[in-house]
């Protein structure tokens, strides 16, 4: 049994922490809004009223927070993780943030004799609940091995991809592929509907051929039903497309499809849909096609 402090118990962090409890670990949770902590306690976890209380005697600290400034505040802040963690603790940041911020956090952690991994995840809420996330890990191999028992609980595909920040680079590529795929699936669905084809039958056969993909498998039913409860919020994917477009620019790589996907995600957000699931890109396709529903 490992003592795990888990900070950020939202759509992803909540089920990940619950799975760690179910696997027999001692999990103490902290979240900005208290209701999420209560939900963890109902599943057998413990509650912390502050970061200090959560982190003080933890072996591993997991953070699952929305964006780079959140992780910086929680980890590097005056009352943050590094101010309270014991030497030898390993910090696993599962949030999707800027690679340069992950590198800076790893350096600050090392100065306190704390190990740090950037370990962003893919697979969405469903994989978080199932404990089958794909986890791309950046950092030192020894820290990865120390965290492996915990990573094995929340993930099914866990790959060390390089030094600090590498996990975030791989995750940025992941988000590029996911956004572009959602956009094409959305266009295909609106196209099929406009042609009067049985879309459920169409999706079934498409999923079995070369056009098959996880977005069709996991998101198309919700898209057909116009159910866009998150899931993965448009606001968060907008953040991620900002990360990938600027990281690509830094190394002089052109990502024209990705840049277009970033513009479309930004437009969807500007329309006031930041809290919807990213599959709501379909609404934009309908709008651009003069087929928006009232
Ligand atoms: P979320 O908004 O549902 O959860 C974030 C949680 O962090 C919230 O409960 C919030 O109250 C808490 N929080 C924010 N600031 C805090 C602070 N300073 N101290 C304590 N708690 C704080 O977001 P999510 O969907 O769970 O995503 C979390 C991260 O995982 C993001 O970086 C996201 O990009 C990434 N991610 C999400 C998904 C997905 O499908 N939702 C998939 C893969 C990766």
């Amino acid at each position: 049994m490992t003592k795990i402090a888990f900070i950020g118990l939202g759509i992803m962090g909540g089920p990940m922490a619950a799975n760690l409890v179910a696997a027999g670990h001692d999990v103490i949770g902290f979240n900005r809004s208290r209701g999420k902590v209560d939900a963890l306690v109902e599943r057998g976890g413990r509650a912390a009223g502050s970061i200090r209380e959560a982190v003080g005697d933890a072996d591993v600290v997991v953070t699952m927070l929305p964006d780079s400034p959140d992780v910086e505040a929680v980890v590097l802040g005056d009352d943050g993780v590094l101010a309270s963690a014991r030497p030898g603790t390993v910090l696993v940041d599962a949030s999707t943030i800027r690679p340069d911020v992950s590198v800076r956090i790893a350096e600050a952690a090392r100065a306190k004799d704390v190990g740090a991994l950037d370990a962003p995840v893919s697979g969405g809420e469903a994989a978080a609940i199932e404990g089958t996330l794909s986890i791309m890990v950046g950092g030192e191999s020894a820290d990865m091995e120390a965290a492996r028992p915990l990573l094995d609980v929340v993930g099914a595909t866990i790959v060390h991809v390089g030094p600090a920040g590498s996990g975030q680079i791989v995750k940025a590529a992941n988000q590029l592929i996911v956004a572009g795929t959602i956009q094409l699936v959305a266009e295909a669905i609106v196209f099929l509907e406009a042609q009067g084809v049985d879309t459920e039958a169409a999706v079934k056969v498409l999923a079995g051929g070369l056009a098959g993909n996880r977005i069709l498998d996991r998101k198309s039913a919700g898209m057909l039903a116009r159910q866009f409860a998150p899931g993965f919020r448009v606001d968060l994917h907008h953040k991620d497309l900002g990360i990938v477009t600027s990281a690509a620019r830094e190394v002089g790589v052109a990502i024209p499809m990705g840049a277009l996907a970033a513009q479309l995600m930004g437009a969807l957000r500007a329309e006031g849909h930041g809290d919807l699931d990213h599959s709501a890109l379909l609404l934009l396709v309908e709008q651009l096609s003069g087929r928006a529903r009232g």
Side-chain angles (χ1 to χ4, degrees):
M1 182 164 97
T2 304
K3 283 192 174 173
I4 300 168
F6 206 117
I7 303 172
L9 299 166
I11 288 177
M12 298 296 283
M16 289 167 73
N19 284 336
L20 290 166
V21 172
H25 295 295
D26 176 12
V27 182
I28 179 161
F30 176 71
N31 193 80
R32 198 169 42 192
S33 43
R34 178 65 197 219
K36 307 269 174 68
V37 181
D38 294 339
L40 177 67
V41 171
E42 276 168 32
R43 307 285 296 265
R46 292 191 292 132
S50 66
I51 296 172
R52 183 176 295 276
E53 191 187 339
V55 167
D57 63 347
D59 306 310
V60 179
V61 179
V62 184
T63 44
M64 193 42 160
L65 299 160
D67 200 352
S68 303
D70 306 306
V71 178
E72 284 177 303
V74 164
V75 175
L76 305 175
D78 286 345
D79 293 316
V81 172
L82 293 183
S84 311
R86 291 175 299 159
T89 306
V90 176
L91 166 66
V92 178
D93 180 31
S95 328
T96 305
I97 62 170
R98 293 197 336 248
D100 60 297
V101 174
S102 290
V103 171
R104 203 146 39 79
I105 283 174
E107 284 166 359
R110 198 175 306 123
K112 299 257 177 177
D113 207 11
V114 168
L117 299 171
D118 47 301
V121 306
S122 180
E125 184 184 17
I129 293 168
E130 293 161 4
T132 57
L133 291 163
S134 190
I135 311 178
M136 29 224 111
V137 185
E140 305 281 340
S141 302
D143 294 327
M144 160 118 179
E145 288 319 309
R148 187 174 276 283
L150 168 162
L151 296 173
D152 279 337
V153 171
V154 295
T157 306
I158 301 143
V159 181
H160 185 214
V161 293
S166 308
Q168 299 298 351
I169 296 285
V170 177
K171 175 66 184 183
N174 184 88
Q175 295 306 80
L176 173 65
I177 295 169
V178 172
T181 308
I182 292 176
Q183 178 63 22
L184 287 177
V185 168
E187 291 179 15
I189 288 174
V190 175
F191 164 73
L192 289 164
E193 288 178 348
Q195 295 285 358
V197 168
D198 176 345
T199 42
E200 276 180 39
V203 163
K204 196 171 164 192
V205 69
L206 287 172
L210 194 54
N213 64 74
R214 291 282 172 85
I215 304 299
L216 266 182
D217 295 344
R218 295 222 175 206
K219 297 274 181 191
S220 61
M223 291 164 89
L224 290 176
R226 274 39 176 196
Q227 284 170 0
F228 300 119
F232 187 62
R233 288 186 285 120
V234 166
D235 279 341
L236 293 175
H237 211 148
H238 176 71
K239 161 201 60 138
D240 296 348
L241 291 168
I243 292 171
V244 69
T245 46
S246 84
R249 191 184 161 109
E250 275 163 26
V251 288
V253 169
I255 50 165
M257 298 283 287
L260 177 58
Q263 288 285 311
L264 292 167
M265 199 69 76
L268 185 61
R269 184 168 182 261
E271 292 274 344
H273 296 313
D275 281 333
L276 296 186
D277 189 71
H278 52 171
S279 57
L281 277 171
L282 185 133
L283 297 176
L284 212 55
V285 179
E286 283 186 316
Q287 197 180 325
L288 291 169
S289 310
R291 302 178 62 84
R293 302 174 181 192

